[in-house]
Amino acid sequence: MKKIIVLGSTGSIGTNALEIIRHSEGEFELVGISGHKNHKLLIEQIREFKPKYVSVGTKEGYEKIREEFPELTVYLGEEGLKELAGVKEYDILLTAVSGAVGIEATVEGIKNEKRIALANKETMVAAGPYINKLLKQYPKACIIPVDSEHSAIFQSLLGGKRDEVKKIIITASGGTFRGKTLEDLKDVTVEQALKHPNWSMGRKITIDSSTLVNKGLEVIEAHELFGVSYDDIEVVVHPQSIIHSMVEFKDRAVIAQLGAPDMKLPIQYAFTYPERKVNEVIEPLDFFKLNGLTFERPNTKVFKGIELAFRAGRIGNTMPAVLNAANEAAVDMFLRGKIKFLTIYEILERAMERHIPVEIESVELIKKIDKETRNWVYKEYER
Ligand code: NDP
Ligand code: MG
């Protein structure tokens, strides 16, 4: 039996992970969970799964949980996430919090020599070079990607040797606004941007999908996870989201992983790798219900997210952390109705222009740059 801690158990990935564990027939045991503001759901999860360790984001939630479950070890806030990841008795840490707040807990999990099932892409974007250095220092720790594209690449890479890879092809649904012009996007509302055609996800990543910044972050994530140069990463729009990504080898063989657009498979695979397990909640893909698989070039003139990420990634060092922080602040403001949709790109561009990148030598440095960038964005755009 594998012991699992889920950071962000109250979120979209988190609840999918709990569904996998619920139907794993004793394969997995949930020993720790964390939520931020939704302590109501967190309490329901404690009642059902009886974990030993819990972390919660608010004082109110902390007190309620302490009162109802006096025997439980309860942690609080950002420090609490770190403490939870630092607990000894578990095998796999699923990092499914949203945003750069996941960095320190991931670092703690690596130092704790655990398997990290990484959903939290912002960690790899903002701190990739640092995380990779740390993985070398702690060779018993490893990262298995959960992001569907990266899980697909990870699985496809098993079809050849690393030095035989020609390029990585990341598929993109194209988002809610595929086919729209800049004029169409000028006045789109939050509700429109939150309607994703294929995937049901948290609010932040759904907006990132509609700007294609999500795909940009995934390009940087792929570069950091698989060590492939930016020249050998390509994005292809595939609106049906059935092919989750591909690897082209030097003999021109292309190996892909296909599946229904559902995160349960990549989550479970990150738990079971190198094995595969039956789980009744994972739906099979029915080819006879598909109306074809199509492909197109992303419209990078309208959706600047991919190009901006390539730019940040190629500059490297702290630039991707700035892109990520500016994006988190911009999406937060868009969701609160403070800025227009296209202003998100303007913010990313301006934040990058004013930043002079330096080498990432510590998590503290990333945190400092992250905070400084957010503060600048709020100061410039919040009214
Ligand atoms: P959600 O918004 O649905 O969930 C986020 C989780 O993180 C919740 O449990 C939330 O707690 C918690 N959280 C939010 N802010 C904080 C904070 N400041 N401190 C601690 N915990 C916090 O997001 P998703 O599940 O959609 O995404 C999670 C991560 O997985 C992201 O990094 C995303 O990019 C990545 N991902 C998601 C995919 C998806 O299909 N959803 C696909 C691929 C990657 P609460 O709700 O209690 O406030
Ligand atoms: Mg993805």
Side-chain angles (χ1 to χ4, degrees):
M1 188 200 282
K2 285 184 174 150
K3 292 184 168 31
I4 295 178
I5 290 183
V6 176
L7 303 183
S9 62
T10 50
S12 164
I13 292 282
T15 48
N16 271 302
L18 267 48
E19 181 71 355
I20 286 290
I21 295 170
R22 193 177 281 127
H23 295 272
S24 74
E25 297 179 351
E27 189 83 30
F28 310 122
E29 181 191 347
L30 190 63
V31 297
I33 52 178
S34 90
H36 188 52
K37 292 190 181 144
N38 191 352
H39 60 255
K40 205 166 151 257
L41 178 57
L42 194 63
I43 287 172
E44 280 171 29
Q45 294 177 341
I46 301 170
R47 285 191 193 130
E48 179 184 351
F49 289 92
K50 305 184 176 52
K52 290 196 185 111
Y53 307 94
V54 172
S55 182
V56 60
T58 63
K59 195 100 186 96
E60 187 196 353
Y62 179 80
E63 270 149 21
K64 284 212 165 110
I65 294 169
R66 287 292 302 268
E67 197 184 335
E68 185 172 339
F69 310 95
E71 70 293 347
L72 201 67
T73 306
V74 191
Y75 303 113
L76 173 66
E78 228 175 282
E79 196 54 33
L81 271 188
K82 220 172 117 182
E83 286 174 293
L84 183 55
V87 160
K88 288 286 164 218
E89 322 134 63
Y90 73 97
D91 305 299
I92 301 168
L93 182 72
L94 171 63
T95 60
V97 296
S98 170
V101 68
I103 296 175
E104 283 193 291
T106 309
V107 165
E108 202 57 31
I110 295 172
K111 290 185 176 165
N112 208 352
E113 305 191 308
K114 304 298 184 188
R115 171 183 296 194
I116 314 294
L118 183 96
N120 180 239
K121 69 189 80 188
E122 294 90 346
T123 289
M124 233 33 212
V125 172
Y130 180 81
I131 298 282
N132 281 328
K133 226 190 305 169
L134 209 59
L135 284 168
K136 288 209 179 82
Q137 277 173 38
Y138 295 89
K140 284 191 190 146
C142 68
I143 291 184
I144 311 291
V146 168
D147 208 347
S148 58
E149 294 75 5
H150 305 74
S151 176
I153 295 162
F154 184 83
Q155 294 177 60
S156 301
L157 281 170
L158 300 173
K161 296 200 192 99
R162 285 300 169 102
D163 63 358
E164 294 167 345
V165 172
K166 176 135 182 68
K167 68 176 174 199
I168 280 179
I169 303 155
I170 303 182
T171 53
S173 69
T176 322
F177 300 131
R178 184 171 66 93
K180 297 273 187 261
T181 62
L182 279 174
E183 190 55 35
D184 297 334
L185 293 178
K186 258 173 57 196
D187 294 313
V188 293
T189 63
V190 173
E191 287 65 35
Q192 287 169 322
L194 280 175
K195 279 198 192 102
H196 196 282
N198 305 337
W199 296 93
S200 149
M201 311 181 282
R203 286 159 65 87
K204 190 255 173 185
I205 184 174
T206 306
I207 300 302
D208 287 350
S209 299
S210 68
T211 56
L212 263 73
V213 169
N214 180 52
K215 213 43 61 180
L217 299 179
E218 291 182 351
V219 166
I220 301 174
E221 185 187 9
H223 168 82
E224 295 297 344
L225 283 174
F226 306 114
V228 174
S229 96
Y230 284 104
D231 292 342
D232 298 331
I233 301 177
E234 189 174 59
V235 176
V236 172
V237 173
H238 163 48
Q240 298 82 16
S241 300
I242 297 296
I243 299 179
H244 296 313
S245 278
M246 313 177 240
V247 175
E248 182 182 321
F249 290 91
K250 59 185 178 191
D251 61 357
R252 301 291 179 181
V254 178
I255 300 197
Q257 186 259 331
L258 285 69
D262 181 349
M263 290 308 293
K264 289 190 200 71
L265 169 58
I267 293 169
Q268 172 168 285
Y269 188 67
F271 293 168
T272 63
Y273 170 80
E275 282 157 37
R276 294 184 181 273
K277 299 276 176 195
V278 177
N279 193 318
E280 63 180 20
V281 296
I282 300 177
E283 295 287 328
L285 184 59
D286 184 347
F287 283 92
F288 301 108
K289 284 196 182 138
L290 298 176
N291 289 322
L293 302 178
T294 60
F295 306 93
E296 37 189 88
R297 258 178 229 288
N299 184 347
T300 49
K301 295 236 157 45
V302 175
F303 301 96
K304 296 186 188 146
I306 297 173
E307 197 271 317
L308 286 169
F310 267 108
R311 202 189 302 170
R314 285 199 163 101
I315 296 169
N317 288 324
T318 46
M319 195 55 99
V322 166
L323 175 82
N324 181 67
N327 183 56
E328 286 191 32
V331 171
D332 169 55
M333 277 192 291
F334 174 70
L335 283 169
R336 289 188 289 112
K338 298 282 179 186
I339 58 166
K340 294 203 164 195
F341 186 78
L342 292 173
T343 309
I344 297 176
Y345 299 128
E346 177 191 307
I347 290 175
L348 303 194
E349 233 164 341
R350 287 189 62 208
M352 278 166 53
E353 265 162 27
R354 63 186 284 284
H355 179 65
I356 299 162
V358 291
E359 202 183 318
I360 304 172
E361 88 261 323
S362 67
V363 178
E364 286 67 42
L365 176 75
I366 302 168
K367 281 179 79 175
K368 188 175 146 245
I369 285 172
D370 179 277
K371 194 167 166 205
E372 198 266 331
T373 306
R374 285 168 204 258
N375 287 347
W376 174 80
V377 175
Y378 288 123
K379 203 171 117 249
E380 286 286 297
Y381 289 89
E382 180 98 60
R383 354 201 164 264

